[in-house]
Amino acid sequence: MTETFVVIGGGVGGGTAALALRTEGFKGRVVVLCDEPRLPYSKPPLSKGVLRGEEDPGRTALRPPAWYDKKDIEVRTGVAATALDVAAKTIALSTGERLTYDKVLIATGGRPRALPGTEGLPGVHTLRNLEDSQAISARLRPGARVIIIGGGFIGGEVAASAITLGCSVTVLEGQRTPLERLLPPALAGLYMRLHTERGVDFRTGVTVSSIEHGPDGLLARTSGGAEHLADVIVVGIGMVPADELARAAGIEVTDGIVVDGRCRTSVPDVFAIGDVANAPQPHLGGRMRVEHWQNAQHQAKVAAKNMAGGSAEFAEVPWVWSDQYDLTIQITGKPEPTDEVNLRGDVEGWAFSALLTREGRPVGCVAFNRADDVRAVRRIMTDRLPVPIARLIDPAEDLAELAKAYSPAAPEGAAKEYA
Ligand SMILES: Cc1cc2nc3c(=O)[nH]c(=O)nc-3n(C[C@H](O)[C@H](O)[C@H](O)COP(=O)(O)OP(=O)(O)OC[C@H]3O[C@@H](n4cnc5c(N)ncnc54)[C@H](O)[C@@H]3O)c2cc1C
């Protein structure tokens, strides 16, 4: 009998997994459930090109419609999975139908954390889907007063887009420096400087206590008593995993859906990937949810292989990029604020990287317009290349050359010759 595999969620994770099921040779029925009214698509442009009105939203689609027809994949757009019965192996749909599955993949991503009391307030937005992006974009006119609550990556990207469009931008950030829980202080400080140099009014250590409509626009009050006026407010204070289907089905959930290295949940034939999955991190130790595009894409391929009867383990060092102004910021590994920072490159010219070390070993890299360094550090971490720490932290050394010299494929003696 023909098997049915169902993918719940039409983001980069769900879309890539459906695609990969066919690449892996699965011949049965594939159904993708997308609660959004469109084919699977990528979200990074929503705070960048699409937000600035420079990129056609249609170009965010992972594949054109004909591709799904050709691969015989049923994509049900505008249809949500509302409940999962893992004993009967059925999924209840928002249409009232019930779908029977043999294997199911949960790739439901997350939803933005809301600022209490501001839900539904006109002019106050969160940013997760295309509709959010288009609603904010419509208000980013030259001279518009924009307040962004939260100075993390989404906040930073929206700030950069709004500044580029000629808006007047204020960021209200609760921490003393943005990203201070993620990055060592020196790097968090540089990240903030990037924005202030480009004209963002960055207020740190402030908590927004209320937002209301006044005669001059939206009025945001902070706990310190300051008042800020705005035409539009974007709340970028993180996301929460959309794990309620799994939770209600009795699947283990702890900060997302708990999966093993093969993307299997605690229940047989149920897999989970992407922003919603809490997975082991073989290169970093422990487990965590990773909210990065590349992570969702890679886990999708691993899950698809395993669903199709193969055996693959997820073993990537996390990597994320963020485009802000004319810079691409990239981070690999899992930085901690207490990591040692080893800079190389041109800090003043915004073309530098910071190799992060902890207890004498490399644990990550943060780079501003230095993609090669991030690639090299990923390789060094992934393959556990035996590059001496003294060479890694020496700013005169080229990280890409070091990775090459110490990789197993390098000709014998290459590491020494380079030294
Ligand atoms: C504005 C923005 C900018 C970003 N920029 C970057 C970047 O520059 N670099 C980077 O690495 N990462 C970036 N990210 C993060 C990246 O997009 C996510 O890590 C990635 O989208 C995760 O993919 P996913 O498939 O797990 O989830 P998602 O892409 O969120 O997809 C999940 C989909 O499932 C749907 N869904 C949820 N519940 C159901 C249900 N019950 N039934 C049916 N469908 C359901 C959701 O509506 C959604 O369409 C950005 C994210 C956003 C929001």
Side-chain angles (χ1 to χ4, degrees), residues 8-13 33 35-36 43-44 46-48 79-81 107-109 127-128 154 157 245 274-275 291-293 296 320-321:
I8 307 176
V12 59
L33 303 172
D35 63 357
E36 296 191 53
K43 298 194 160 150
L46 304 183
S47 47
K48 310 175 184 77
V79 177
T108 46
L127 176 51
R128 184 75 194 179
I154 297 286
E157 291 186 353
L245 274 180
D275 283 10
E291 300 169 10
H292 305 162
W293 190 95
V320 63
W321 84 93

PDB file of all heavy atoms in Angstrom, residues 8-13 33 35-36 43-44 46-48 79-81 107-109 127-128 154 157 245 274-275 291-293 296 320-321, ligand 1:
ATOM      1  N   ILE A   8       4.196  19.170   8.226  1.00  0.00           N
ATOM      2  CA  ILE A   8       3.376  20.270   8.765  1.00  0.00           C
ATOM      3  C   ILE A   8       4.234  21.528   8.825  1.00  0.00           C
ATOM      4  O   ILE A   8       5.192  21.599   9.596  1.00  0.00           O
ATOM      5  CB  ILE A   8       2.823  19.932  10.165  1.00  0.00           C
ATOM      6  CG1 ILE A   8       2.085  18.591  10.142  1.00  0.00           C
ATOM      7  CG2 ILE A   8       1.896  21.052  10.649  1.00  0.00           C
ATOM      8  CD1 ILE A   8       1.588  18.135  11.514  1.00  0.00           C
ATOM      9  N   GLY A   9       3.905  22.522   8.000  1.00  0.00           N
ATOM     10  CA  GLY A   9       4.654  23.775   7.983  1.00  0.00           C
ATOM     11  C   GLY A   9       5.313  24.025   6.642  1.00  0.00           C
ATOM     12  O   GLY A   9       5.982  23.139   6.093  1.00  0.00           O
ATOM     13  N   GLY A  10       5.110  25.222   6.126  1.00  0.00           N
ATOM     14  CA  GLY A  10       5.643  25.569   4.811  1.00  0.00           C
ATOM     15  C   GLY A  10       6.703  26.653   4.866  1.00  0.00           C
ATOM     16  O   GLY A  10       6.668  27.614   4.109  1.00  0.00           O
ATOM     17  N   GLY A  11       7.665  26.493   5.780  1.00  0.00           N
ATOM     18  CA  GLY A  11       8.823  27.391   5.799  1.00  0.00           C
ATOM     19  C   GLY A  11       9.972  26.722   5.071  1.00  0.00           C
ATOM     20  O   GLY A  11       9.778  25.752   4.322  1.00  0.00           O
ATOM     21  N   VAL A  12      11.187  27.227   5.324  1.00  0.00           N
ATOM     22  CA  VAL A  12      12.339  26.629   4.655  1.00  0.00           C
ATOM     23  C   VAL A  12      12.502  25.172   5.087  1.00  0.00           C
ATOM     24  O   VAL A  12      12.865  24.306   4.272  1.00  0.00           O
ATOM     25  CB  VAL A  12      13.632  27.449   4.898  1.00  0.00           C
ATOM     26  CG1 VAL A  12      13.968  27.569   6.372  1.00  0.00           C
ATOM     27  CG2 VAL A  12      14.794  26.837   4.156  1.00  0.00           C
ATOM     28  N   GLY A  13      12.169  24.875   6.355  1.00  0.00           N
ATOM     29  CA  GLY A  13      12.301  23.509   6.842  1.00  0.00           C
ATOM     30  C   GLY A  13      11.332  22.577   6.131  1.00  0.00           C
ATOM     31  O   GLY A  13      11.739  21.583   5.517  1.00  0.00           O
ATOM     32  N   LEU A  33       1.372  20.722   4.638  1.00  0.00           N
ATOM     33  CA  LEU A  33       0.312  21.597   5.159  1.00  0.00           C
ATOM     34  C   LEU A  33       0.912  22.954   5.493  1.00  0.00           C
ATOM     35  O   LEU A  33       1.843  23.043   6.299  1.00  0.00           O
ATOM     36  CB  LEU A  33      -0.304  20.983   6.418  1.00  0.00           C
ATOM     37  CG  LEU A  33      -0.877  19.573   6.270  1.00  0.00           C
ATOM     38  CD1 LEU A  33      -1.270  19.007   7.630  1.00  0.00           C
ATOM     39  CD2 LEU A  33      -2.085  19.590   5.320  1.00  0.00           C
ATOM     40  N   ASP A  35      -0.188  26.694   6.800  1.00  0.00           N
ATOM     41  CA  ASP A  35      -1.312  27.520   7.247  1.00  0.00           C
ATOM     42  C   ASP A  35      -1.294  28.900   6.594  1.00  0.00           C
ATOM     43  O   ASP A  35      -2.292  29.605   6.566  1.00  0.00           O
ATOM     44  CB  ASP A  35      -1.375  27.600   8.781  1.00  0.00           C
ATOM     45  CG  ASP A  35      -0.154  28.264   9.412  1.00  0.00           C
ATOM     46  OD1 ASP A  35       0.790  28.626   8.663  1.00  0.00           O
ATOM     47  OD2 ASP A  35      -0.140  28.400  10.646  1.00  0.00           O
ATOM     48  N   GLU A  36      -0.144  29.291   6.050  1.00  0.00           N
ATOM     49  CA  GLU A  36      -0.097  30.572   5.336  1.00  0.00           C
ATOM     50  C   GLU A  36      -0.660  30.377   3.919  1.00  0.00           C
ATOM     51  O   GLU A  36      -0.608  29.279   3.378  1.00  0.00           O
ATOM     52  CB  GLU A  36       1.342  31.086   5.267  1.00  0.00           C
ATOM     53  CG  GLU A  36       1.919  31.406   6.641  1.00  0.00           C
ATOM     54  CD  GLU A  36       3.224  32.163   6.546  1.00  0.00           C
ATOM     55  OE1 GLU A  36       3.259  33.193   5.858  1.00  0.00           O
ATOM     56  OE2 GLU A  36       4.209  31.712   7.153  1.00  0.00           O
ATOM     57  N   LYS A  43      12.077  33.199   4.929  1.00  0.00           N
ATOM     58  CA  LYS A  43      11.721  34.426   5.659  1.00  0.00           C
ATOM     59  C   LYS A  43      12.795  35.516   5.750  1.00  0.00           C
ATOM     60  O   LYS A  43      12.456  36.680   5.980  1.00  0.00           O
ATOM     61  CB  LYS A  43      11.255  34.036   7.059  1.00  0.00           C
ATOM     62  CG  LYS A  43      10.018  33.165   6.924  1.00  0.00           C
ATOM     63  CD  LYS A  43       9.250  32.948   8.164  1.00  0.00           C
ATOM     64  CE  LYS A  43       7.856  32.516   7.747  1.00  0.00           C
ATOM     65  NZ  LYS A  43       7.209  31.641   8.679  1.00  0.00           N
ATOM     66  N   PRO A  44      14.085  35.189   5.602  1.00  0.00           N
ATOM     67  CA  PRO A  44      15.086  36.249   5.769  1.00  0.00           C
ATOM     68  C   PRO A  44      14.820  37.539   4.977  1.00  0.00           C
ATOM     69  O   PRO A  44      15.021  38.640   5.514  1.00  0.00           O
ATOM     70  CB  PRO A  44      16.400  35.571   5.373  1.00  0.00           C
ATOM     71  CG  PRO A  44      16.190  34.151   5.831  1.00  0.00           C
ATOM     72  CD  PRO A  44      14.739  33.866   5.500  1.00  0.00           C
ATOM     73  N   LEU A  46      12.244  39.112   4.581  1.00  0.00           N
ATOM     74  CA  LEU A  46      11.123  39.895   5.126  1.00  0.00           C
ATOM     75  C   LEU A  46      11.583  41.098   5.943  1.00  0.00           C
ATOM     76  O   LEU A  46      10.835  42.061   6.122  1.00  0.00           O
ATOM     77  CB  LEU A  46      10.218  39.008   5.999  1.00  0.00           C
ATOM     78  CG  LEU A  46       9.642  37.759   5.332  1.00  0.00           C
ATOM     79  CD1 LEU A  46       8.716  37.026   6.278  1.00  0.00           C
ATOM     80  CD2 LEU A  46       8.921  38.099   4.031  1.00  0.00           C
ATOM     81  N   SER A  47      12.812  41.041   6.467  1.00  0.00           N
ATOM     82  CA  SER A  47      13.326  42.184   7.222  1.00  0.00           C
ATOM     83  C   SER A  47      14.363  42.950   6.401  1.00  0.00           C
ATOM     84  O   SER A  47      14.984  43.880   6.909  1.00  0.00           O
ATOM     85  CB  SER A  47      13.950  41.699   8.535  1.00  0.00           C
ATOM     86  OG  SER A  47      14.800  40.595   8.284  1.00  0.00           O
ATOM     87  N   LYS A  48      14.551  42.504   5.160  1.00  0.00           N
ATOM     88  CA  LYS A  48      15.599  43.108   4.319  1.00  0.00           C
ATOM     89  C   LYS A  48      14.954  43.602   3.022  1.00  0.00           C
ATOM     90  O   LYS A  48      14.204  44.591   3.049  1.00  0.00           O
ATOM     91  CB  LYS A  48      16.711  42.080   4.063  1.00  0.00           C
ATOM     92  CG  LYS A  48      17.213  41.412   5.357  1.00  0.00           C
ATOM     93  CD  LYS A  48      18.206  40.316   5.074  1.00  0.00           C
ATOM     94  CE  LYS A  48      18.641  39.568   6.318  1.00  0.00           C
ATOM     95  NZ  LYS A  48      17.674  38.579   6.837  1.00  0.00           N
ATOM     96  N   VAL A  79      -4.097  25.844   4.912  1.00  0.00           N
ATOM     97  CA  VAL A  79      -4.662  24.736   5.708  1.00  0.00           C
ATOM     98  C   VAL A  79      -3.728  24.447   6.886  1.00  0.00           C
ATOM     99  O   VAL A  79      -2.539  24.162   6.698  1.00  0.00           O
ATOM    100  CB  VAL A  79      -4.814  23.457   4.846  1.00  0.00           C
ATOM    101  CG1 VAL A  79      -5.323  22.294   5.701  1.00  0.00           C
ATOM    102  CG2 VAL A  79      -5.770  23.715   3.678  1.00  0.00           C
ATOM    103  N   ALA A  80      -4.273  24.543   8.099  1.00  0.00           N
ATOM    104  CA  ALA A  80      -3.472  24.282   9.302  1.00  0.00           C
ATOM    105  C   ALA A  80      -3.761  22.892   9.838  1.00  0.00           C
ATOM    106  O   ALA A  80      -4.880  22.385   9.716  1.00  0.00           O
ATOM    107  CB  ALA A  80      -3.801  25.314  10.375  1.00  0.00           C
ATOM    108  N   ALA A  81      -2.729  22.294  10.428  1.00  0.00           N
ATOM    109  CA  ALA A  81      -2.943  21.073  11.225  1.00  0.00           C
ATOM    110  C   ALA A  81      -3.413  21.560  12.590  1.00  0.00           C
ATOM    111  O   ALA A  81      -2.763  22.414  13.204  1.00  0.00           O
ATOM    112  CB  ALA A  81      -1.635  20.308  11.352  1.00  0.00           C
ATOM    113  N   ALA A 107       7.310  20.920  11.271  1.00  0.00           N
ATOM    114  CA  ALA A 107       8.241  22.011  10.918  1.00  0.00           C
ATOM    115  C   ALA A 107       7.469  23.327  11.030  1.00  0.00           C
ATOM    116  O   ALA A 107       7.357  24.083  10.081  1.00  0.00           O
ATOM    117  CB  ALA A 107       8.771  21.808   9.506  1.00  0.00           C
ATOM    118  N   THR A 108       6.929  23.541  12.224  1.00  0.00           N
ATOM    119  CA  THR A 108       5.989  24.651  12.414  1.00  0.00           C
ATOM    120  C   THR A 108       6.664  25.955  12.843  1.00  0.00           C
ATOM    121  O   THR A 108       5.970  26.967  13.044  1.00  0.00           O
ATOM    122  CB  THR A 108       4.919  24.253  13.461  1.00  0.00           C
ATOM    123  OG1 THR A 108       5.578  23.645  14.584  1.00  0.00           O
ATOM    124  CG2 THR A 108       3.936  23.252  12.885  1.00  0.00           C
ATOM    125  N   GLY A 109       7.988  25.962  12.993  1.00  0.00           N
ATOM    126  CA  GLY A 109       8.690  27.201  13.289  1.00  0.00           C
ATOM    127  C   GLY A 109       8.265  27.805  14.622  1.00  0.00           C
ATOM    128  O   GLY A 109       8.178  27.112  15.639  1.00  0.00           O
ATOM    129  N   LEU A 127       7.101  40.795  13.486  1.00  0.00           N
ATOM    130  CA  LEU A 127       7.524  40.448  12.128  1.00  0.00           C
ATOM    131  C   LEU A 127       7.885  38.970  12.045  1.00  0.00           C
ATOM    132  O   LEU A 127       8.899  38.539  12.579  1.00  0.00           O
ATOM    133  CB  LEU A 127       8.741  41.307  11.744  1.00  0.00           C
ATOM    134  CG  LEU A 127       9.400  41.030  10.387  1.00  0.00           C
ATOM    135  CD1 LEU A 127       8.411  41.025   9.246  1.00  0.00           C
ATOM    136  CD2 LEU A 127      10.516  42.038  10.121  1.00  0.00           C
ATOM    137  N   ARG A 128       7.026  38.214  11.392  1.00  0.00           N
ATOM    138  CA  ARG A 128       7.335  36.796  11.184  1.00  0.00           C
ATOM    139  C   ARG A 128       6.949  36.325   9.790  1.00  0.00           C
ATOM    140  O   ARG A 128       7.595  35.472   9.218  1.00  0.00           O
ATOM    141  CB  ARG A 128       6.616  35.944  12.244  1.00  0.00           C
ATOM    142  CG  ARG A 128       6.919  34.467  12.205  1.00  0.00           C
ATOM    143  CD  ARG A 128       8.281  34.132  12.761  1.00  0.00           C
ATOM    144  NE  ARG A 128       8.687  32.771  12.434  1.00  0.00           N
ATOM    145  CZ  ARG A 128       9.837  32.209  12.764  1.00  0.00           C
ATOM    146  NH1 ARG A 128      10.727  32.885  13.454  1.00  0.00           N
ATOM    147  NH2 ARG A 128      10.117  30.989  12.414  1.00  0.00           N
ATOM    148  N   ILE A 154      16.624  40.762  14.466  1.00  0.00           N
ATOM    149  CA  ILE A 154      15.449  41.237  13.721  1.00  0.00           C
ATOM    150  C   ILE A 154      15.337  42.751  13.893  1.00  0.00           C
ATOM    151  O   ILE A 154      15.156  43.506  12.922  1.00  0.00           O
ATOM    152  CB  ILE A 154      14.159  40.529  14.207  1.00  0.00           C
ATOM    153  CG1 ILE A 154      14.222  39.036  13.937  1.00  0.00           C
ATOM    154  CG2 ILE A 154      12.913  41.156  13.564  1.00  0.00           C
ATOM    155  CD1 ILE A 154      14.043  38.610  12.501  1.00  0.00           C
ATOM    156  N   GLU A 157      18.016  44.479  11.835  1.00  0.00           N
ATOM    157  CA  GLU A 157      17.750  44.462  10.384  1.00  0.00           C
ATOM    158  C   GLU A 157      16.641  45.438  10.026  1.00  0.00           C
ATOM    159  O   GLU A 157      16.721  46.131   9.009  1.00  0.00           O
ATOM    160  CB  GLU A 157      17.390  43.044   9.936  1.00  0.00           C
ATOM    161  CG  GLU A 157      18.587  42.111  10.005  1.00  0.00           C
ATOM    162  CD  GLU A 157      18.313  40.737   9.424  1.00  0.00           C
ATOM    163  OE1 GLU A 157      17.157  40.446   9.074  1.00  0.00           O
ATOM    164  OE2 GLU A 157      19.275  39.958   9.326  1.00  0.00           O
ATOM    165  N   LEU A 245       1.087  21.592  18.992  1.00  0.00           N
ATOM    166  CA  LEU A 245       0.555  20.349  18.422  1.00  0.00           C
ATOM    167  C   LEU A 245       1.228  19.150  19.098  1.00  0.00           C
ATOM    168  O   LEU A 245       0.567  18.194  19.503  1.00  0.00           O
ATOM    169  CB  LEU A 245       0.889  20.258  16.929  1.00  0.00           C
ATOM    170  CG  LEU A 245      -0.019  20.899  15.893  1.00  0.00           C
ATOM    171  CD1 LEU A 245       0.582  20.642  14.514  1.00  0.00           C
ATOM    172  CD2 LEU A 245      -1.431  20.358  15.962  1.00  0.00           C
ATOM    173  N   GLY A 274      13.980  22.366  12.526  1.00  0.00           N
ATOM    174  CA  GLY A 274      13.934  23.822  12.379  1.00  0.00           C
ATOM    175  C   GLY A 274      13.758  24.549  13.700  1.00  0.00           C
ATOM    176  O   GLY A 274      14.121  24.055  14.771  1.00  0.00           O
ATOM    177  N   ASP A 275      13.183  25.727  13.624  1.00  0.00           N
ATOM    178  CA  ASP A 275      13.070  26.600  14.791  1.00  0.00           C
ATOM    179  C   ASP A 275      12.319  25.941  15.947  1.00  0.00           C
ATOM    180  O   ASP A 275      12.486  26.318  17.103  1.00  0.00           O
ATOM    181  CB  ASP A 275      12.316  27.891  14.422  1.00  0.00           C
ATOM    182  CG  ASP A 275      13.183  28.885  13.659  1.00  0.00           C
ATOM    183  OD1 ASP A 275      14.293  28.513  13.245  1.00  0.00           O
ATOM    184  OD2 ASP A 275      12.737  30.039  13.479  1.00  0.00           O
ATOM    185  N   GLU A 291      17.623  29.031  15.888  1.00  0.00           N
ATOM    186  CA  GLU A 291      16.659  29.785  15.064  1.00  0.00           C
ATOM    187  C   GLU A 291      17.346  30.369  13.837  1.00  0.00           C
ATOM    188  O   GLU A 291      17.369  31.586  13.652  1.00  0.00           O
ATOM    189  CB  GLU A 291      16.009  30.890  15.915  1.00  0.00           C
ATOM    190  CG  GLU A 291      15.256  30.359  17.106  1.00  0.00           C
ATOM    191  CD  GLU A 291      14.841  31.461  18.071  1.00  0.00           C
ATOM    192  OE1 GLU A 291      14.976  32.655  17.737  1.00  0.00           O
ATOM    193  OE2 GLU A 291      14.389  31.114  19.177  1.00  0.00           O
ATOM    194  N   HIS A 292      17.967  29.511  13.057  1.00  0.00           N
ATOM    195  CA  HIS A 292      18.691  29.962  11.866  1.00  0.00           C
ATOM    196  C   HIS A 292      18.181  29.212  10.643  1.00  0.00           C
ATOM    197  O   HIS A 292      17.900  28.021  10.701  1.00  0.00           O
ATOM    198  CB  HIS A 292      20.197  29.678  11.960  1.00  0.00           C
ATOM    199  CG  HIS A 292      20.863  30.243  13.169  1.00  0.00           C
ATOM    200  ND1 HIS A 292      22.083  29.804  13.591  1.00  0.00           N
ATOM    201  CD2 HIS A 292      20.497  31.192  14.032  1.00  0.00           C
ATOM    202  CE1 HIS A 292      22.446  30.470  14.674  1.00  0.00           C
ATOM    203  NE2 HIS A 292      21.486  31.322  14.962  1.00  0.00           N
ATOM    204  N   TRP A 293      18.183  29.907   9.539  1.00  0.00           N
ATOM    205  CA  TRP A 293      17.744  29.367   8.256  1.00  0.00           C
ATOM    206  C   TRP A 293      18.495  28.095   7.880  1.00  0.00           C
ATOM    207  O   TRP A 293      17.906  27.089   7.511  1.00  0.00           O
ATOM    208  CB  TRP A 293      17.939  30.462   7.217  1.00  0.00           C
ATOM    209  CG  TRP A 293      17.350  30.203   5.880  1.00  0.00           C
ATOM    210  CD1 TRP A 293      16.126  30.608   5.437  1.00  0.00           C
ATOM    211  CD2 TRP A 293      17.963  29.501   4.781  1.00  0.00           C
ATOM    212  NE1 TRP A 293      15.940  30.195   4.145  1.00  0.00           N
ATOM    213  CE2 TRP A 293      17.052  29.521   3.720  1.00  0.00           C
ATOM    214  CE3 TRP A 293      19.194  28.872   4.611  1.00  0.00           C
ATOM    215  CZ2 TRP A 293      17.330  28.938   2.490  1.00  0.00           C
ATOM    216  CZ3 TRP A 293      19.477  28.276   3.401  1.00  0.00           C
ATOM    217  CH2 TRP A 293      18.537  28.324   2.353  1.00  0.00           C
ATOM    218  N   ALA A 296      17.504  24.951   9.801  1.00  0.00           N
ATOM    219  CA  ALA A 296      16.236  24.355   9.361  1.00  0.00           C
ATOM    220  C   ALA A 296      16.446  23.597   8.053  1.00  0.00           C
ATOM    221  O   ALA A 296      15.935  22.492   7.869  1.00  0.00           O
ATOM    222  CB  ALA A 296      15.178  25.448   9.185  1.00  0.00           C
ATOM    223  N   VAL A 320      24.802  31.533  11.227  1.00  0.00           N
ATOM    224  CA  VAL A 320      23.726  32.467  10.883  1.00  0.00           C
ATOM    225  C   VAL A 320      24.337  33.705  10.221  1.00  0.00           C
ATOM    226  O   VAL A 320      25.470  34.072  10.526  1.00  0.00           O
ATOM    227  CB  VAL A 320      22.926  32.875  12.146  1.00  0.00           C
ATOM    228  CG1 VAL A 320      23.785  33.618  13.149  1.00  0.00           C
ATOM    229  CG2 VAL A 320      21.690  33.694  11.794  1.00  0.00           C
ATOM    230  N   TRP A 321      23.574  34.281   9.294  1.00  0.00           N
ATOM    231  CA  TRP A 321      24.018  35.547   8.719  1.00  0.00           C
ATOM    232  C   TRP A 321      22.927  36.589   8.969  1.00  0.00           C
ATOM    233  O   TRP A 321      21.763  36.252   9.203  1.00  0.00           O
ATOM    234  CB  TRP A 321      24.267  35.413   7.212  1.00  0.00           C
ATOM    235  CG  TRP A 321      23.015  35.574   6.398  1.00  0.00           C
ATOM    236  CD1 TRP A 321      22.548  36.716   5.837  1.00  0.00           C
ATOM    237  CD2 TRP A 321      22.042  34.558   6.106  1.00  0.00           C
ATOM    238  NE1 TRP A 321      21.348  36.476   5.193  1.00  0.00           N
ATOM    239  CE2 TRP A 321      21.010  35.162   5.352  1.00  0.00           C
ATOM    240  CE3 TRP A 321      21.942  33.209   6.419  1.00  0.00           C
ATOM    241  CZ2 TRP A 321      19.901  34.459   4.889  1.00  0.00           C
ATOM    242  CZ3 TRP A 321      20.834  32.507   5.965  1.00  0.00           C
ATOM    243  CH2 TRP A 321      19.829  33.128   5.203  1.00  0.00           C
TER     244      TRP A 321
HETATM  245  C1  LIG B   1      12.040  38.485   9.440  1.00  0.00           C
HETATM  246  C2  LIG B   1      13.000  37.340   9.601  1.00  0.00           C
HETATM  247  C3  LIG B   1      14.301  37.460   9.128  1.00  0.00           C
HETATM  248  C4  LIG B   1      15.207  36.414   9.287  1.00  0.00           C
HETATM  249  N1  LIG B   1      16.477  36.559   8.820  1.00  0.00           N
HETATM  250  C5  LIG B   1      17.350  35.535   8.942  1.00  0.00           C
HETATM  251  C6  LIG B   1      18.676  35.646   8.441  1.00  0.00           C
HETATM  252  O1  LIG B   1      19.077  36.670   7.896  1.00  0.00           O
HETATM  253  N2  LIG B   1      19.505  34.587   8.572  1.00  0.00           N
HETATM  254  C7  LIG B   1      19.107  33.414   9.186  1.00  0.00           C
HETATM  255  O2  LIG B   1      19.908  32.465   9.292  1.00  0.00           O
HETATM  256  N3  LIG B   1      17.867  33.290   9.684  1.00  0.00           N
HETATM  257  C8  LIG B   1      16.973  34.316   9.572  1.00  0.00           C
HETATM  258  N4  LIG B   1      15.710  34.184  10.062  1.00  0.00           N
HETATM  259  C9  LIG B   1      15.341  32.937  10.749  1.00  0.00           C
HETATM  260  C10 LIG B   1      14.892  31.892   9.741  1.00  0.00           C
HETATM  261  O3  LIG B   1      14.001  32.450   8.817  1.00  0.00           O
HETATM  262  C11 LIG B   1      14.247  30.745  10.491  1.00  0.00           C
HETATM  263  O4  LIG B   1      15.251  30.128  11.265  1.00  0.00           O
HETATM  264  C12 LIG B   1      13.606  29.754   9.547  1.00  0.00           C
HETATM  265  O5  LIG B   1      12.537  30.348   8.886  1.00  0.00           O
HETATM  266  C13 LIG B   1      13.109  28.534  10.304  1.00  0.00           C
HETATM  267  O6  LIG B   1      12.472  27.692   9.391  1.00  0.00           O
HETATM  268  P1  LIG B   1      11.293  26.729   9.852  1.00  0.00           P
HETATM  269  O7  LIG B   1      10.884  25.994   8.618  1.00  0.00           O
HETATM  270  O8  LIG B   1      11.695  25.993  11.053  1.00  0.00           O
HETATM  271  O9  LIG B   1      10.120  27.712  10.332  1.00  0.00           O
HETATM  272  P2  LIG B   1       9.321  28.814   9.530  1.00  0.00           P
HETATM  273  O10 LIG B   1      10.110  29.376   8.417  1.00  0.00           O
HETATM  274  O11 LIG B   1       8.779  29.744  10.553  1.00  0.00           O
HETATM  275  O12 LIG B   1       8.118  28.023   8.890  1.00  0.00           O
HETATM  276  C14 LIG B   1       7.109  27.428   9.662  1.00  0.00           C
HETATM  277  C15 LIG B   1       5.817  27.486   8.874  1.00  0.00           C
HETATM  278  O13 LIG B   1       4.884  26.599   9.470  1.00  0.00           O
HETATM  279  C16 LIG B   1       3.621  27.232   9.502  1.00  0.00           C
HETATM  280  N5  LIG B   1       2.798  26.574  10.541  1.00  0.00           N
HETATM  281  C17 LIG B   1       2.876  26.746  11.882  1.00  0.00           C
HETATM  282  N6  LIG B   1       1.958  25.971  12.503  1.00  0.00           N
HETATM  283  C18 LIG B   1       1.294  25.315  11.523  1.00  0.00           C
HETATM  284  C19 LIG B   1       0.232  24.381  11.531  1.00  0.00           C
HETATM  285  N7  LIG B   1      -0.315  23.946  12.681  1.00  0.00           N
HETATM  286  N8  LIG B   1      -0.241  23.902  10.355  1.00  0.00           N
HETATM  287  C20 LIG B   1       0.314  24.303   9.178  1.00  0.00           C
HETATM  288  N9  LIG B   1       1.327  25.201   9.113  1.00  0.00           N
HETATM  289  C21 LIG B   1       1.822  25.683  10.273  1.00  0.00           C
HETATM  290  C22 LIG B   1       3.979  28.671   9.815  1.00  0.00           C
HETATM  291  O14 LIG B   1       2.928  29.562   9.511  1.00  0.00           O
HETATM  292  C23 LIG B   1       5.178  28.859   8.895  1.00  0.00           C
HETATM  293  O15 LIG B   1       4.778  29.207   7.609  1.00  0.00           O
HETATM  294  C24 LIG B   1      14.790  35.216   9.926  1.00  0.00           C
HETATM  295  C25 LIG B   1      13.478  35.093  10.401  1.00  0.00           C
HETATM  296  C26 LIG B   1      12.591  36.144  10.233  1.00  0.00           C
HETATM  297  C27 LIG B   1      11.179  35.998  10.749  1.00  0.00           C
END
